[in-house]
Amino acid sequence: MRKGQIETMGLVVIVLLFILGLTFYVVFVVMEKNYDRSSTDVYQTMFASNSLNSVLNYKIRPSCQDKDIGDYLISLGMGVSACGKTEDDIKDEIGNAMIKILEGSYFEGYYVEGMKGKDLFFELNRGNCKENLVGIFSPKYVISTGYSVRLKICK
């Protein structure tokens, strides 16, 4: 072999070793970091979102006109009495639903806020969750045009 061919083969071996080294670096250093958050953050956010969805679709018995809590919250935001239910009645029903939902889970407290645009028209805080800096928020859930509800659950 000529001198140029030997140098080229040496360069190819060096490049292959470099690629092999990068492969081990990616597999053992980069991939070793735990990016799997499915067991914590994603699960908890989904739990909060599903809990809020369950509460909003919870039917109060006896219900007139087959209304759920979401409908009653819209009525509260509009300042209209829905079937004679007061804000305290709605808070009691949400509290009863949340007790059933959170039973046996890691979470004990919750905070529900209802927004009309950017104004707060409804809030329910159990277990001092509003002031607690650590908690899981559900995404904002739009219940009607201009009305949204969000849930925070905490330990």
Side-chain angles (χ1 to χ4, degrees):
M1 268 200 223
R2 294 189 181 163
K3 187 177 180 181
Q5 291 175 329
I6 293 174
E7 288 178 5
T8 304
M9 289 297 287
L11 185 60
V12 167
V13 169
I14 290 173
V15 169
L16 287 175
L17 288 173
F18 181 72
I19 290 173
L20 187 65
L22 279 177
T23 303
F24 280 107
Y25 175 77
V26 168
V27 169
F28 291 111
V29 176
V30 175
M31 300 293 276
E32 186 176 310
K33 293 181 182 174
N34 189 7
Y35 291 111
D36 181 22
R37 307 188 108 184
S38 62
S39 62
T40 55
D41 294 348
V42 174
Y43 168 76
Q44 291 174 350
T45 302
M46 286 175 50
F47 181 77
S49 179
N50 290 340
S51 299
L52 178 61
N53 192 28
S54 297
V55 166
L56 292 176
N57 291 312
Y58 182 76
K59 302 248 187 258
I60 297 175
R61 302 283 185 230
S63 175
C64 66
Q65 303 169 356
D66 202 32
K67 290 184 175 273
D68 55 32
I69 288 181
D71 296 327
Y72 287 111
L73 285 174
I74 294 169
S75 299
L76 279 176
M78 293 176 16
V80 178
S81 174
C83 300
K85 299 287 185 189
T86 65
E87 184 174 348
D88 290 334
D89 294 334
I90 304 303
K91 286 182 178 183
D92 289 341
E93 292 296 335
I94 291 174
N96 293 336
M98 287 303 296
I99 287 170
K100 292 175 186 174
I101 290 169
L102 297 179
E103 184 178 328
S105 76
Y106 170 79
F107 303 103
E108 298 169 357
Y110 57 90
Y111 172 67
V112 180
E113 64 180 11
M115 303 295 286
K116 180 180 180 181
K118 294 188 179 196
D119 299 325
L120 183 70
F121 75 89
F122 178 84
E123 74 178 338
L124 175 60
N125 187 24
R126 297 281 160 86
N128 217 18
C129 199
K130 181 179 180 181
E131 294 80 18
N132 192 342
L133 298 176
V134 179
I136 306 297
F137 278 101
S138 71
K140 190 182 293 184
Y141 192 93
V142 177
I143 54 176
S144 181
T145 305
Y147 293 91
S148 62
V149 180
R150 190 167 74 160
L151 171 69
K152 177 183 178 184
I153 53 178
C154 56
K155 178 84 174 114

